[in-house]
Amino acid sequence: MKLIQILTQSRLLKGIAVCFFIYSSNAFAQNYPNKPITIVVPFNAGGDADQSARNLATVAQNVLKQPIIVTNKSGASGAIGSQFVKDALPDGYTLLMARVGSQSVLPAMKSDLSYKWNDFTFIGLLELNPVVCVVHPESPYKTFEDLTKAISSQPGKLNYSSSGPGTILNFGPQLILQTLKLKPDAAVNISYKGGSEAVVAVLAKEVDFSCGNLTSALTQINSGKLRALVVTTPDRVKDIPSVPTAKEVGMPQLEAIVGWSALYGPPKLSSEIVAKWVDVLVVADKDANWQAGNARYGGIPRILSPADTEKFAASQYVSYSKLSTQLGIK
């Protein structure tokens, strides 16, 4: 009899605890936010993800009436910062500036990665970042055809900068080599810490070319410090209208390589908090300053709902899984 009473009391206490948790969680979400929010960028300052986070922060703090702190936790191709957010409390005060490399490419290629592509709460896609191949303005390669001919005629001589094997900056050149029916080492990969450093390597003439997100290179292209040879978008980019598309240079396969930024939260982030950030993104989509910020660094606005963001992320994961197998990149 006593055992039955103990079990009954135990169930009652658990029920009360669950009800209290639900009540307190709802009350917490209604008061959110009441302190500064941190957006973790899993890459170095100055790069694509960093610029996207800071552009969003300007709008978000006006809407949410709280400071938005952008912090960089780089390393392991974005895995360190991503894991940090995955392990964070689902209270809405630690969010992730998700990128194609850390959220699609790495999970697609690294079976022992500590997180999966869908181990986060999807809040919204922000923008797409075309990939552009660039050379130094003093380079003898005036066109994309000049570059591919040089690689084909001198396998192993030319090199390119990337943010490491298995990153989007490596996928572009490797897809070019495969399309040219060349071996993976026909152009030599030189790894740097991130996209901005990869661009600096071209500026410093440390490498012959680089294929990275337009975000990192647009300012230098427009100032004449870099020469753009091709973009991976189906249509020409309005900020660099003279640069041909992959299809125009006879390599439509490159359209598969595109960068993007999205806002993710830790697992089990409440729907109420997600809804507040969805409202922020709705405002951002119509905000002239946010649109101008995208234009400055070459981002193409593409706000999506949480559900559509998850579908987009799933398709990207599948695409890079296939590409990594096809290209033999590990």
Side-chain angles (χ1 to χ4, degrees):
M1 191 70 176
K2 287 185 178 180
L3 178 59
I4 294 174
Q5 289 178 334
I6 291 171
L7 289 173
T8 301
Q9 289 175 346
S10 176
R11 291 192 188 100
L12 181 61
L13 289 172
K14 285 182 180 178
I16 293 172
V18 169
C19 290
F20 177 76
F21 176 78
I22 293 172
Y23 172 79
S24 60
S25 295
N26 289 337
F28 174 81
Q30 288 173 0
N31 294 326
Y32 174 87
N34 56 24
K35 63 180 181 179
I37 300 164
T38 296
I39 297 179
V40 175
V41 176
F43 297 98
N44 289 348
D48 318 307
D50 186 67
Q51 293 184 69
S52 182
R54 295 180 191 282
N55 193 32
L56 176 63
T58 302
V59 179
Q61 57 194 11
N62 290 334
V63 177
L64 298 174
K65 308 303 181 185
Q66 287 291 340
I68 307 295
I69 301 167
V70 176
T71 183
N72 301 87
K73 289 187 178 295
S74 61
S77 299
I80 291 175
S82 299
Q83 183 64 43
F84 180 85
V85 174
K86 183 196 169 187
D87 294 339
L89 288 173
D91 57 6
Y93 291 101
T94 304
L95 303 176
L96 175 68
M97 183 51 55
R99 287 291 299 180
V100 57
S102 50
Q103 269 54 64
S104 289
V105 177
L106 269 185
M109 297 176 53
K110 197 169 171 57
S111 60
D112 61 346
L113 191 65
S114 58
Y115 60 87
K116 296 182 175 61
W117 72 271
N118 57 352
D119 273 349
F120 300 87
T121 300
F122 299 94
I123 298 174
L125 187 73
L126 301 176
E127 83 273 340
L128 301 177
N129 305 125
V131 168
V132 60
C133 293
V134 297
V135 296
H136 193 277
E138 296 175 7
S139 168
Y141 315 120
K142 309 295 184 185
T143 65
F144 184 71
E145 184 180 13
D146 290 341
L147 178 64
T148 56
K149 282 184 176 179
I151 295 172
S152 298
S153 63
Q154 307 170 81
K157 182 177 180 181
L158 274 66
N159 55 29
Y160 63 93
S161 57
S162 81
S163 46
T167 63
I168 194 168
L169 278 76
N170 190 39
F171 267 90
Q174 285 299 309
L175 188 53
I176 291 171
L177 297 178
Q178 188 196 65
T179 306
L180 294 172
K181 301 187 183 329
L182 298 172
K183 293 181 179 180
D185 59 357
V188 181
N189 173 58
I190 308 296
S191 297
Y192 291 81
K193 289 183 178 180
S196 54
E197 289 85 356
V199 168
V200 170
V202 182
L203 293 170
K205 299 183 182 180
E206 294 174 3
V207 295
D208 296 298
F209 71 101
S210 187
C211 296
N213 291 313
L214 180 59
T215 309
S216 298
L218 183 61
T219 300
Q220 290 86 351
I221 292 171
N222 286 333
S223 65
K225 294 179 180 178
L226 288 175
R227 179 187 299 137
L229 304 182
V230 66
V231 291
T232 63
T233 44
D235 302 309
R236 292 197 179 199
V237 177
K238 65 178 182 179
D239 295 305
I240 45 173
S242 63
V243 181
T245 66
K247 189 179 297 182
E248 288 175 326
V249 299
M251 203 171 282
Q253 300 91 331
L254 283 178
E255 289 182 4
I257 310 297
V258 64
W260 50 265
S261 297
L263 189 66
Y264 287 6
K268 300 180 180 179
L269 191 64
S270 76
S271 58
E272 291 85 0
I273 291 175
V274 171
K276 291 199 176 186
W277 274 98
V278 168
D279 290 342
V280 171
L281 299 190
V282 168
V283 172
D285 202 24
K286 300 175 182 177
D287 186 87
N289 290 328
W290 184 78
Q291 296 277 353
N294 273 280
R296 279 194 300 273
Y297 60 74
I300 300 174
R302 183 80 180 278
I303 299 291
L304 292 182
S305 69
D308 287 339
T309 298
E310 183 172 2
K311 290 177 184 176
F312 174 82
S315 68
Q316 284 283 286
Y317 170 75
V318 170
S319 293
Y320 282 102
S321 294
K322 292 178 179 177
L323 269 176
S324 64
T325 300
Q326 175 187 338
L327 298 174
I329 299 177
K330 298 181 180 180

